């Protein structure tokens, strides 16, 4: 679940970057600018909530596995993955705040 949500977040971010590059090159928006603001705000909210949910479930699973199993390289990698997933949540949450501020001000 955590991996899938992070992949979806990566793909969404990559599509936003490609759309922005296309705009800088062609000076034309792919989507209506009025709808784009609402879409970005909604998607940032959805991704932030999905990442928080996935990160917390992965953290719980990693903690339970670390109790049962001995600490090894796999558990270190799993804990680092969970930490980076929380960092991705912070990025999407702050992006959502910026989208809201820009859209509704």
């Amino acid at each position: 679940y955590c991996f899938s949500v992070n992949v979806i977040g990566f793909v969404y971010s990559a599509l936003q970057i490609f759309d922005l590059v296309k705009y800088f090159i062609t000076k034309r928006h792919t989507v209506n600018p009025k709808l784009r603001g609402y879409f970005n705000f909604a998607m940032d909210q959805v991704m932030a909530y999905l990442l928080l949910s996935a990160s917390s479930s992965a953290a719980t699973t990693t903690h339970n596995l670390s109790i049962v199993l001995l600490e090894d390289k796999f558990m270190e990698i799993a804990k680092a993955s969970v930490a980076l997933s929380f960092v991705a949540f912070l990025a999407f949450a702050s992006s959502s705040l910026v989208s809201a501020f820009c859209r509704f001000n």
Side-chain angles (χ1 to χ4, degrees), residues 14-64:
L15 289 174
Q16 277 191 324
I17 290 170
F18 289 137
D19 183 48
L20 190 60
V21 168
K22 180 187 173 282
Y23 173 73
F24 284 146
I25 292 171
T26 64
K27 299 295 184 209
R28 294 181 60 209
H29 289 287
T30 305
V31 181
N32 183 357
K34 290 181 182 180
L35 293 176
R36 184 172 186 229
Y38 290 112
F39 177 75
N40 285 343
F41 175 69
M43 285 301 296
D44 288 344
Q45 285 282 315
V46 168
M47 287 308 306
Y49 292 133
L50 279 174
L51 278 166
L52 184 62
S53 169
S55 301
S56 61
S57 68
T60 303
T61 303
T62 303
H63 177 70
N64 290 341

Side-chain angles (χ1 to χ4, degrees), residues 1-2 5-6 49-61 81-89:
Y1 175 58
C2 186
V5 170
N6 278 294
Y49 292 133
L50 279 174
L51 278 166
L52 184 62
S53 169
S55 301
S56 61
S57 68
T60 303
T61 303
S81 175
V82 169
L84 289 176
S85 187
F86 276 113
V87 170
F89 158 73

Side-chain angles (χ1 to χ4, degrees), residues 55-73:
S55 301
S56 61
S57 68
T60 303
T61 303
T62 303
H63 177 70
N64 290 341
L65 283 176
S66 68
I67 292 172
V68 175
L69 303 174
L70 295 174
E71 290 291 322
D72 60 349
K73 188 73 170 173

